[in-house]
């Protein structure tokens, strides 16, 4: 088999060898076979490297409340999980379904993180195959190496959220779409539809993936009729996912038009895209300048050599850019670099193309020079990941690990089933893992509407309130590993225990009703403000806003 030039869609195809081959044809076949073997071995090496990293470092990153949230929601029945995700919280149904499976299989945070690691590892060969399909095997191998060392892939490989799943499903959907457009057929479009549905169900930004793919089909005008049917089917089947996205958008005041506080105008959007490029590779200004230069060069090469592939890359980046320019984002939300993880294969492609082109030059030192540059880029990426998230490599301080275990044990031993927990703090997850009978009543923080909704659903009288203040949280102005014992006012209404950097505050008696619970929450968060706990600012606002709305509602009654 020999690798042919790309078609106008940018898709590589294979041509069979003629029945009779001469020495030249056999030599080309041998070279092609060797290239395929090197490509497979290279992908295997990158996949193994990522697998080793996520297995070894899976417990390095401290537990996070977003991971706890998914597991707490997952403790309910399948119906309740679907109701919460599609009707109350919005977001990522497929991720919550996986968390539900983990929780009901008896697993916890390690198992949830294992799933993230599995999807990160599985993303590596899919990414390599995708890049090879739109360019060539050498570029695919270089791009895979660059992506494998990036912060955005390594960090989300050990973080128990949906972003490695998002990378995997989106890359798979792009790969499936290219195969469907090249050869057609219901089966191939059905496979693309499954991957596209999984992508949309994994993250709200899956809509951007679907939009970029629709734009690409219109640009290349290949099998438009078949694609139209397939896209229409996906849009209809994804209605539950669109509903979840609308619920999430409503919670964070996201819409179309001006008036948003984030990414207001072209310059903020460009600055955001620059941060994305930095987290895809290395954010150090000198290195990033080199990376962006290589990416610009790679785009020029792609436009010259593979028009269809250039159109796909353009669609992938133009769709979110246009969306950010048109969107109105509320003050409580801002896109992060992880939200564009689906673009990682394509940005890596642009950076890899010039390196692959230089390596092919008939100069003895060309491959050596490229190897040196690539090694420097990979080292810079790992250094950036360590700079951006030190615990990803160094692990959590031992004193914090021990303090969290002690606090969780105390909560497990002294908790009551009707306690009302504030926020999805990892200490509560640790208590649940030690004692499944601990309270499942959690009032979300940072969202007054959702907090009131949850409080309204708890049968009165409400039990004791439980709050955690974390002096070591990275959101704090100056994280520290100790915290003073401080009681809110009136001190007679509360008890408090200190475990290293954690101050666990609990009401001495039942809070009975929502106004009392919210009043005590505000008192605890005021203490958090005095102790310079970063999250206490928004938590105090949440409690006060909820109290005002509750008062207005009671007044109307």
């Amino acid at each position: 088999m020999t690798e042919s030039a790309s078609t106008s869609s940018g898709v590589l195809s294979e041509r069979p060898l003629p029945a009779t081959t001469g020495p030249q044809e056999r030599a080309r076949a041998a070279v092609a076979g060797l290239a395929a073997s090197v490509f497979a071995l290279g992908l295997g090496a990158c996949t193994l490297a990522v697998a080793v990293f996520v297995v070894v470092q899976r417990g390095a990153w401290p537990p996070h409340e977003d991971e706890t949230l998914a597991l707490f929601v997952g403790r309910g029945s399948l119906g309740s999980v679907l109701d919460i995700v599609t009707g109350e919280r919005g977001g990522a149904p497929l991720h919550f379904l996986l968390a539900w499976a983990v929780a009901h299989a008896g697993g916890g945070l390690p198992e949830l993180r294992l799933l993230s690691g599995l999807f990160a590892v599985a993303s590596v060969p899919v990414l390599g195959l995708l890049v090879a399909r739109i360019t060539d095997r050498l570029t695919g191998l270089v791009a895979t190496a660059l992506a494998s060392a990036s912060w955005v892939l390594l960090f989300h490989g050990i973080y128990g959220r949906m972003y490695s799943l998002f990378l995997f499903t989106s890359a798979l959907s792009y790969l499936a779409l290219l195969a469907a457009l090249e050869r057609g057929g219901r089966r191939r479009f059905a496979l693309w539809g499954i991957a596209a549905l999984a992508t949309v169900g994994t993250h709200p930004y899956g809509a951007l993936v679907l939009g970029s793919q629709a734009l690409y089909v219109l640009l290349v005008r290949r099998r438009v009729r078949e694609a139209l049917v397939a896209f229409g089917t996906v849009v209809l089947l994804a209605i539950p996912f669109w509903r979840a996205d609308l619920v999430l958008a409503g919670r964070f005041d996201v819409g179309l038009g001006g008036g948003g506080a984030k990414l207001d105008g072209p310059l903020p959007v460009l600055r955001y895209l620059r941060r994305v490029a930095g987290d895809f590779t290395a954010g150090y200004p000198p290195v990033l300048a080199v990376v962006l230069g290589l990416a610009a060069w790679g785009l020029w090469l792609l436009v010259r050599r593979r028009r269809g592939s250039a159109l796909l890359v353009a669609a992938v980046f133009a769709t979110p850019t246009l969306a950010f320019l048109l969107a109105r984002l509320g003050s409580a939300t801002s896109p992060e670099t992880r939200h564009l993880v689906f673009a990682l294969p394509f940005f890596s492609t642009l950076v890899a193309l010039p390196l692959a082109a230089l390596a092919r030059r008939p100069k003895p030192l060309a491959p050596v020079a490229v190897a040196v540059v690539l090694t420097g880029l990979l080292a810079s990426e790992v250094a950036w990941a360590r700079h951006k998230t030190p615990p990803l490599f160094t692990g959590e301080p031992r004193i914090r690990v021990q303090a969290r275990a002690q606090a969780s044990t105390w909560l497990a031993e002294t908790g009551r089933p009707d306690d009302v927990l504030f926020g999805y703090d990892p200490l509560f997850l640790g208590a649940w893992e030690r004692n499944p009978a601990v309270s499942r009543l959690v009032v979300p923080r940072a969202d007054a509407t959702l907090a009131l909704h949850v409080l309204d659903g708890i049968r009165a009288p409400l039990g004791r309130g439980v709050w955690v203040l974390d002096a070591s949280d990275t959101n704090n102005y100056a994280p520290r590993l100790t915290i003073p014992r401080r009681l809110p006012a009136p001190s007679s209404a509360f008890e408090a225990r200190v475990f290293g950097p954690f101050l666990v505050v609990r009401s001495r008696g039942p809070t009975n009703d929502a106004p009392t619970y919210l009043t005590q929450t505000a008192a605890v968060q005021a203490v958090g403000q005095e102790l310079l706990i970063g999250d206490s600012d928004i938590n105090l606002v949440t409690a006060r806003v909820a109290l005002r709305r509750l008062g207005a509602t009671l007044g109307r009654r």
Side-chain angles (χ1 to χ4, degrees), residues 38 262 298 334 341 386:
V38 170
K262 305 290 185 180
S334 178
V341 68
R386 185 183 178 93

mmCIF file of all heavy atoms in Angstrom, residues 38 262 298 334 341 386:
data_model
loop_
_atom_site.group_PDB
_atom_site.id
_atom_site.type_symbol
_atom_site.label_atom_id
_atom_site.label_comp_id
_atom_site.label_asym_id
_atom_site.label_seq_id
_atom_site.Cartn_x
_atom_site.Cartn_y
_atom_site.Cartn_z
ATOM 1 N N VAL A 38 6.885 2.820 11.831
ATOM 2 C CA VAL A 38 7.426 3.877 12.685
ATOM 3 C C VAL A 38 6.295 4.710 13.276
ATOM 4 O O VAL A 38 6.312 5.068 14.468
ATOM 5 C CB VAL A 38 8.396 4.769 11.890
ATOM 6 C CG1 VAL A 38 8.783 6.012 12.702
ATOM 7 C CG2 VAL A 38 9.637 3.979 11.502
ATOM 8 N N LYS A 262 -17.441 39.472 30.086
ATOM 9 C CA LYS A 262 -16.253 38.723 29.727
ATOM 10 C C LYS A 262 -16.096 38.685 28.204
ATOM 11 O O LYS A 262 -17.065 38.593 27.460
ATOM 12 C CB LYS A 262 -16.343 37.298 30.264
ATOM 13 C CG LYS A 262 -16.589 37.209 31.769
ATOM 14 C CD LYS A 262 -15.395 37.658 32.580
ATOM 15 C CE LYS A 262 -15.637 37.447 34.074
ATOM 16 N NZ LYS A 262 -14.503 37.862 34.875
ATOM 17 N N GLY A 298 2.766 26.777 9.546
ATOM 18 C CA GLY A 298 2.038 25.550 9.266
ATOM 19 C C GLY A 298 0.727 25.804 8.536
ATOM 20 O O GLY A 298 0.344 25.043 7.637
ATOM 21 N N SER A 334 -16.613 32.728 32.620
ATOM 22 C CA SER A 334 -15.584 33.107 31.670
ATOM 23 C C SER A 334 -15.008 31.836 31.077
ATOM 24 O O SER A 334 -14.748 30.875 31.808
ATOM 25 C CB SER A 334 -14.474 33.901 32.366
ATOM 26 O OG SER A 334 -13.450 34.225 31.456
ATOM 27 N N VAL A 341 -10.502 22.333 24.336
ATOM 28 C CA VAL A 341 -9.621 21.174 24.227
ATOM 29 C C VAL A 341 -9.854 20.425 22.916
ATOM 30 O O VAL A 341 -8.939 19.768 22.397
ATOM 31 C CB VAL A 341 -9.825 20.240 25.441
ATOM 32 C CG1 VAL A 341 -11.197 19.594 25.429
ATOM 33 C CG2 VAL A 341 -8.729 19.200 25.526
ATOM 34 N N ARG A 386 4.269 22.117 34.898
ATOM 35 C CA ARG A 386 4.728 22.158 36.300
ATOM 36 C C ARG A 386 4.573 23.559 36.877
ATOM 37 O O ARG A 386 4.180 23.726 38.036
ATOM 38 C CB ARG A 386 6.184 21.710 36.382
ATOM 39 C CG ARG A 386 6.721 21.609 37.815
ATOM 40 C CD ARG A 386 8.189 21.243 37.825
ATOM 41 N NE ARG A 386 8.699 21.193 39.183
ATOM 42 C CZ ARG A 386 8.749 20.105 39.932
ATOM 43 N NH1 ARG A 386 8.324 18.952 39.431
ATOM 44 N NH2 ARG A 386 9.220 20.148 41.162
#
